[in-house]
Amino acid sequence: MQAIKSIFLVIGLCLSAMSNAQEIIPQTYCNPLDIDYTYMVYNSSKNISYRSGADPAVVEFRDEYYMFVTRSFGYWHSRDLVNWDFIKPQQWFFEGCNAPTAYNYKDSLLYFAGDPAGYGSILYTDDPKSGKWTPTASITNGIQDSELFIDDDGKAYLYWGSSNVYPIKVKQLNKDDRMLVVGDTKELINLVEEEHGWERFGENNFHPTLKEGYMEGASMTKYNGKYYLQYAAPGTQFNVYADGVYVGDSPFGPFTYMKSNPMSFKPGGFTNGAGHGITMQQTNGQYWHFATMALASNSHWERRLCMFPTYFDADDLMYSKTHYGDYPRYAPSHPNKAGEHCGWMLLSYKGKTTVSSSKTQIRKSTSTDDEFVINEMPFQKNGEGEILSEVLTDESPKSFWVADDNDDKQWVKIEMQKLGKIYAIQLNYHDYETGIYTRTKGLRHRFTIEVSKDNENWHTVVDRSKSYKDSPNAYIVLKQPITAKYVRYRNIEVPGANLAMSEVRVFGVGHGKKPSMVKDFSIKREGDRRDVSFSWKEVKGAQGYNIRWGIAPNKMYQSWLLYDVSDHFMRCLDRDTPYYFSIEAFNENGISDRTKPLLIK
């Protein structure tokens, strides 16, 4: 009997020790990617200052990774696909590189191209960390949005195209003779908007006058003996910017449109778009799709980067997992869930927000015609005399708050609707008249973050008061999760004359119940079969809903995340394709069960 008691005592002590042990937090990342984006040169003549990252080319080289981004005056290096350090090259194009391409040839040479003027040498190096590159003597002409691909037999190909008229083209190059052209140029594919709804120009695939989308951003992936020619449409500034695929049996084609297109699509949520990217393979064999997200507040060309895990299913269909694509996701280091949503939900949505000062608060939307609709929010205070802000927890990167100054007297305080267990925080800064127009040294974001349960007792959970890190989309995972209702950001220093932010996003797990399953999900395919309308019964306690669809119940690869609505209309279907649809509700506590997939022919 005494032995049994001893065993139970040992078990009890072990359980107690386990409960007191610190929680092991997995490595995660969050889109848009947290890198030190470069301030852009173009539009500087108009005194428009903003950062941008677009058209990524990411390659593995000798078990490490390199990322090339439009007009960034250099490139980034990483060992884990999450933490990136900038490399300034010794020789580079005068205005950076435009829609770059890079290719790792047998871990011996890394090739690169992307002159913004549309011509120039293809560069190569065997030591990209050094920043030293050698140009070929051969000159390419009339090239935009290029993609260099070298097949297993050593033959090299250059794909390119950026137009709402002309198709994607290809020509063969001789990599052993200065990249000279071999044979004739061949035209490959073009947009077919009358069949493919997602290729239609405009926000939500609608524009009152323009119907032709832009085809650009060619990329090539070889898998299982097939050639997957990827392309972007319909325009980089739109929420529906996506990458599609044609499949062929040779680098020259012919290519056939993939039925489950687009393969990378993220039209809803906080940050939108997942187009003009590249699919690369991690050292462990996992594929990743790096792509461009639209911010488009200061300029149509204001963009950010994202990455999603990518797969080839049993039928060799290529797809990326973009569901909850701007929520925290397991890092590439995770053994079996890399890139998947990690389960941390948004705790800060519609939190009551007060700020230290307010120079202006703006909701800003753009149109295709370079016109801007700017709504300045009225100056408001609460009963305690604190200045209110609604734009910092509205899940929109196009609304922003600007403080009176850029110093340690500026702060943001969010009262979340309910207590929650906080795991991570994302700070999305805004570029407001910063007056910076190129890659600039010494930029940094210095701040602290405090949390509280009662608005009286505060605990510092993040201290970057002496940081040299430049993080316009800072994503910070706490060392240990903490339960709180209030979050306070205290500024010290950021680039520009004024602290400006578009969103403070707090992620974790709520203490309540996840929503129940959605009821009365109604789907109507319109007379124009590229269009579809939805309605459903509002779920009590839901923040929003996620509509999923695909060509089979087990191939529902696309999704559209929505907040605070009970209906939706979209124009992104392929005209002749039957689809299955499902919907789920979500809130700060989790995600409901999905409805049974419904076939709509």
Side-chain angles (χ1 to χ4, degrees), residues 27-148:
Q27 187 184 25
T28 58
Y29 73 96
C30 191
N31 293 315
L33 297 183
D34 180 9
I35 67 168
D36 51 338
Y37 296 95
T38 298
Y39 280 92
M40 292 293 101
V41 170
Y42 51 88
N43 282 326
S44 61
S45 61
K46 302 176 184 178
N47 288 329
I48 301 176
S49 172
Y50 61 94
R51 298 174 186 257
S52 186
D55 318 324
V58 184
V59 292
E60 178 274 328
F61 186 74
R62 296 176 182 170
D63 296 329
E64 297 181 354
Y65 307 95
Y66 295 86
M67 176 165 64
F68 304 86
V69 180
T70 284
R71 298 183 189 250
S72 293
F73 299 96
Y75 49 94
W76 285 264
H77 164 256
S78 175
R79 291 181 172 87
D80 59 6
L81 292 175
V82 173
N83 300 289
W84 296 90
D85 296 314
F86 188 78
I87 295 176
K88 183 179 179 180
Q90 297 181 35
Q91 308 96 345
W92 214 238
F93 300 114
F94 178 71
E95 291 187 352
C97 57
N98 196 64
T101 180
Y103 198 87
N104 172 6
Y105 183 66
K106 296 184 178 180
D107 267 2
S108 60
L109 287 177
L110 186 64
Y111 291 94
F112 172 83
D115 191 302
Y119 62 88
S121 296
I122 293 176
L123 314 180
Y124 62 92
T125 183
D126 62 358
D127 185 12
K129 286 183 185 177
S130 70
K132 185 176 181 179
W133 295 75
T134 301
T136 62
S138 174
I139 298 295
T140 59
N141 296 286
I143 301 298
Q144 285 290 350
D145 289 20
S146 58
E147 164 73 344
L148 179 65

Side-chain angles (χ1 to χ4, degrees), residues 297-442:
S297 180
N298 286 295
S299 166
H300 286 339
W301 315 116
E302 186 178 22
R303 297 163 289 181
R304 293 292 188 265
L305 303 178
C306 57
M307 73 172 183
F308 298 106
T310 300
Y311 308 90
F312 298 85
D313 69 15
D315 298 312
D316 285 345
L317 296 176
M318 186 180 187
Y319 68 97
S320 296
K321 284 188 177 180
T322 62
H323 313 302
Y324 300 92
D326 49 39
Y327 282 43
R329 307 169 78 85
Y330 289 117
S333 58
H334 198 282
N336 50 37
K337 293 185 178 180
E340 295 185 14
H341 174 217
C342 72
W344 299 345
M345 305 305 293
L346 186 64
L347 303 177
S348 52
Y349 182 56
K350 288 190 172 179
K352 297 178 182 178
T353 307
T354 54
V355 293
S356 54
S357 62
S358 186
K359 179 181 177 69
T360 187
Q361 297 185 50
I362 287 174
R363 284 198 172 100
K364 188 174 183 181
S365 62
T366 63
S367 75
T368 304
D369 307 310
D370 283 330
E371 296 175 354
F372 299 88
V373 179
I374 301 175
N375 295 315
E376 187 167 359
M377 307 297 292
F379 188 87
Q380 293 180 309
K381 291 185 177 182
N382 62 16
E384 288 73 41
E386 296 174 310
I387 302 170
L388 297 173
S389 175
E390 295 181 359
V391 301
L392 293 173
T393 57
D394 63 356
E395 283 297 278
S396 171
K398 296 184 182 181
S399 62
F400 57 92
W401 158 75
V402 183
D404 285 345
D405 212 330
N406 177 16
D407 56 25
D408 60 7
K409 296 180 177 61
Q410 310 308 317
W411 51 263
V412 175
K413 184 175 70 175
I414 298 173
E415 178 185 356
M416 300 185 297
Q417 294 190 0
K418 297 176 183 178
L419 278 170
K421 190 176 183 181
I422 301 172
Y423 281 84
I425 297 169
Q426 186 189 51
L427 304 173
N428 296 278
Y429 294 91
H430 180 83
D431 287 311
Y432 178 79
E433 299 180 1
T434 58
I436 306 172
Y437 302 103
T438 187
R439 186 82 195 176
T440 304
K441 291 183 177 180

Side-chain angles (χ1 to χ4, degrees), residues 485-506:
K485 189 178 182 184
Y486 298 85
V487 174
R488 183 163 60 195
Y489 166 92
R490 288 190 176 276
N491 188 64
I492 296 175
E493 175 190 3
V494 298
N498 300 81
L499 167 65
M501 305 181 82
S502 64
E503 201 80 8
V504 177
R505 308 176 76 211
V506 182

